[in-house]
């Protein structure tokens, strides 16, 4: 039997000081991660990403009245495990030689942002929808299982076979816009809705993995 105290479930007002939005903090930290991935220097981007991911993990569990052991935070904070030496070398070459916007670097930055966003979004979902223990501390073994499930959920969310609901943008009773304005509005609103859609895909993927058990696959 665990000697740790049971985790109380504090209200949103208790766990979100000053009424700030946890989703807003996650969005800002994700933007920081995308920016860090563009820094044209070796080592520094990975170190910054580790710090950012650690801060996201810490903020997420703290909002639910929980805590992370040092080993658990390190497991959640480290970048994706599928980054091999070749990918690091290619990324470094892109940063130092090209130094400018390229399709390859843009894709790499987007992937980095998705990975960081998924950590905060799905760690929160794990705590609120999946976690059953009342222990206040999250230890390394639990963090390892959650981290593996999050990484698998990210890969699953990118699969074309995954089905997630699509938001239908509301229309007024009478549309008085001209054609050009309608297209511009549609583009802007679709871009604004993209994070929500990505979140729904991550939720569906994560719930599938949780339903089969974190130790499978």
């Amino acid at each position: 039997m665990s000697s740790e105290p049971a985790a109380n479930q504090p209200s949103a007002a208790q766990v979100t000081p000053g009424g700030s939005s946890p989703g807003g903090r996650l969005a800002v930290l994700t933007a920081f991660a995308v920016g860090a991935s563009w820094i044209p220097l070796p080592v520094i981007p990975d170190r910054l990403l580790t710090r950012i991911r650690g801060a996201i993990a810490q903020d997420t569990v703290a909002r639910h009245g929980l805590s992370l052991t040092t080993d658990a935070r390190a497991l959640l904070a480290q970048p994706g495990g599928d980054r091999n030496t070749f990918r690091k070398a290619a990324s470094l070459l892109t940063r130092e030689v090209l130094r400018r916007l390229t399709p390859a670097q843009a894709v790499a930055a987007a992937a980095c942002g998705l990975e960081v966003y998924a950590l905060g979004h799905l760690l929160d979902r794990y705590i609120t929808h999946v976690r059953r223990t009342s222990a206040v501390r999250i230890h390394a073994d639990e963090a390892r299982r959650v981290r593996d499930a999050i990484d698998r959920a990210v890969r699953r969310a990118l699969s074309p076979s995954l089905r997630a609901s699509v938001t239908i943008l509301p229309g007024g009773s009478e549309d008085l816009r001209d054609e050009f304005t309608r297209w511009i509005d549609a583009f802007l609103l679709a871009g604004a809705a993209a994070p929500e859609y990505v979140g729904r895909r991550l939720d569906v993927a994560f719930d599938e993995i949780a339903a089969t058990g974190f130790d499978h696959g």
Side-chain angles (χ1 to χ4, degrees):
M1 221 169 144
S2 174
S3 60
E4 296 176 4
N8 297 321
Q9 295 299 324
S11 66
Q14 291 174 305
V15 297
T16 310
S20 57
S21 167
R25 291 199 297 275
L26 178 57
V28 171
L29 289 169
T30 299
F32 285 168
V34 172
S37 69
W38 287 96
I39 297 177
L41 294 172
V43 182
I44 292 179
D46 281 346
R47 289 184 177 178
L48 284 176
L49 288 173
T50 298
R51 291 293 184 182
I52 291 168
R53 289 175 61 89
I56 288 174
Q58 190 70 44
D59 178 65
T60 302
V61 301
R63 285 190 288 104
H64 294 282
L66 304 176
S67 60
L68 287 170
T69 65
T70 301
D71 290 343
R73 173 170 171 148
L75 282 165
L76 293 170
Q78 60 185 271
D82 60 346
R83 295 183 179 180
N84 54 34
T85 304
F86 175 80
R87 287 183 61 190
K88 287 184 178 181
S91 178
L92 178 60
L93 180 64
T94 301
R95 294 190 190 106
E96 293 190 338
V97 176
L98 301 181
R99 297 285 185 109
R100 297 295 178 186
L101 178 64
T102 65
Q105 186 66 3
V107 170
C112 174
L114 174 61
E115 184 184 47
V116 170
Y117 176 80
L119 172 64
H121 183 79
L122 294 181
L123 181 57
D124 183 83
R125 190 167 187 83
Y126 166 73
I127 295 172
T128 57
H129 290 75
V130 179
R131 193 173 192 258
R132 296 291 177 260
T133 179
S134 60
V136 170
R137 289 181 182 173
I138 295 179
H139 291 273
D141 288 343
E142 183 179 2
R144 187 177 292 107
R145 293 194 299 272
V146 176
R147 174 60 193 275
D148 177 67
I150 290 174
D151 288 346
R152 288 161 55 198
V154 171
R155 294 192 295 270
R156 174 66 179 140
L158 297 175
S159 171
S161 65
L162 185 75
R163 293 290 180 264
S165 60
V166 178
T167 299
I168 304 299
L169 298 176
S173 58
E174 185 179 11
D175 193 342
L176 302 177
R177 298 171 298 176
D178 58 70
E179 187 70 18
F180 179 74
T181 301
R182 280 198 297 270
W183 277 105
I184 294 297
D185 287 354
F187 176 78
L188 294 174
L189 293 172
E196 182 183 352
Y197 177 65
V198 169
R200 286 198 300 274
R201 292 187 67 86
L202 288 170
D203 289 345
V204 172
F206 189 77
D207 290 348
E208 287 182 0
I209 292 169
T212 59
F214 282 3
D215 294 325
H216 295 82

